[in-house]
Amino acid sequence: MRVWINGNLLSDPTAPAVPVTDHGLTVGDAVFEAVKVVDGQPFALQRHLDRLERSAAGLGLVGLDPEQVRRGVHAVLEGEPMPLGRLRITVTGGNAPLGSGRGSDPVTVIVVASPMDPAAETTAVVTVPWPRNERGALAGLKTTSYGENVLALARAQEAGASEAIFANLAGHLCEGTGTNVFYVVDGEVRTPTLASGCLAGVTRALLIEWFGATEVDEPIEVAAGAEEIFLVSTTRDVQGVHRWDDRTLPAPGPVTQRAAEAWAANEPSLLGFNR
């Protein structure tokens, strides 16, 4: 693992580096991005930086410099290329008084590079009983306020699954804890609209562009009963679902396989520091 914080590459990536008064630590006042790394090159970096800026603006964080983040990305990816990994880019509210109010110090910018294993070809998911609030202040923002996700993922893991799926307040399919959900009904690939409250995933947007899908909001039961279901995310790419709750499906199905092939064919076009 390689760690860069506020312009400095740490000689010991596990050494203490963020003060206990950092607002990201005390109240989760922070935004982040996870970026795939292939052979030492980031994937779709510009799209991730664009979303980082949108999330920061939505949370009211001031002072984010995308070029500073780029310098951090270069710093952690220098040296021996990482065959497969991820970047974790985090921007916090910086040093602040204890409590919800922000201080006047600059934001804290952290970039971490870490190896990762390839995702399994298929996985199991479970529905959790807690809804996403599509009208909430953080809807659609990639913040570090992940307490709901921690609880939901623990519930999924207890059931032998690797992902938990949320409906929203309307009872419509929303998203997973760290994934967007696609499903196939009568041969049509569908995924929730952004109005559902789901995150505007980079992988989601690219798959719609490269493979196609109909964006529609409908009851979560429709998706759970679909012919095929697959998840997409930075760490999973396109991953078939072989079980949703107690229902098993053949996976990856033919549509899922074609989606994965489209992804693999197009991914190299967005590898690099200026892509």
Side-chain angles (χ1 to χ4, degrees):
M1 186 169 66
R2 305 166 192 164
V3 180
W4 177 99
I5 300 181
N6 289 340
N8 298 307
L9 189 65
L10 302 188
S11 56
D12 179 358
T14 64
V18 176
V20 295
T21 51
D22 188 277
H23 224 216
L25 174 65
T26 57
V27 297
D29 182 23
V31 296
F32 78 100
E33 286 292 318
V35 182
K36 186 179 181 182
V37 176
V38 179
D39 293 330
Q41 297 187 86
F43 171 74
L45 179 60
Q46 186 59 57
R47 290 181 184 240
H48 282 285
L49 292 179
D50 290 344
R51 188 174 62 181
L52 185 71
E53 287 192 89
R54 292 195 299 271
S55 293
L59 195 58
L61 292 177
V62 178
L64 170 62
D65 179 0
E67 291 309 308
Q68 180 191 26
V69 177
R70 281 187 179 277
R71 290 192 291 274
V73 170
H74 278 278
V76 297
L77 292 181
E78 282 181 346
E80 183 177 352
M82 189 175 290
L84 181 64
R86 80 180 95 183
L87 297 170
R88 165 80 181 216
I89 302 168
T90 306
V91 179
T92 84
N95 188 50
L98 299 179
S100 297
R102 290 191 174 118
S104 59
D105 282 11
V107 295
T108 298
V109 182
I110 305 167
V111 184
V112 180
S114 179
M116 71 175 182
D117 296 324
E121 187 177 36
T122 69
T123 194
V125 304
V126 299
T127 311
V128 289
W130 311 292
R132 286 286 202 228
N133 181 1
E134 66 272 27
R135 301 191 297 274
L138 301 184
L141 303 181
K142 197 169 179 67
T143 76
T144 61
S145 299
Y146 257 40
E148 281 189 349
N149 289 347
V150 171
L151 286 175
L153 195 56
R155 171 74 66 92
Q157 291 169 344
E158 289 170 2
S162 76
E163 181 60 302
I165 307 298
F166 294 93
N168 60 19
L169 293 176
H172 295 156
L173 174 66
C174 185
E175 62 183 351
T177 65
T179 61
N180 291 111
V181 185
F182 287 70
Y183 55 102
V184 181
V185 176
D186 296 330
E188 180 182 58
V189 181
R190 301 178 183 176
T191 196
T193 73
L194 298 182
S196 71
C198 72
L199 184 71
V202 170
T203 309
R204 173 191 181 276
L206 288 172
L207 190 68
I208 292 173
E209 179 182 329
W210 291 341
F211 186 68
T214 298
E215 297 177 82
V216 60
D217 294 320
E218 52 190 352
I220 192 171
E221 292 82 6
V222 175
E227 300 152 23
E228 295 181 43
I229 304 161
F230 58 91
L231 308 177
V232 304
S233 75
T234 289
T235 58
R236 299 175 191 249
D237 293 339
V238 177
Q239 184 182 49
V241 171
H242 63 252
R243 177 170 61 86
W244 184 319
D245 292 334
D246 295 327
R247 178 179 177 240
T248 59
L249 302 89
V255 177
T256 304
Q257 289 176 324
R258 292 198 299 273
E261 290 165 1
W263 181 266
N266 285 279
E267 182 182 73
S269 67
L270 286 181
L271 288 174
F273 290 89
N274 297 311
R275 302 293 180 89

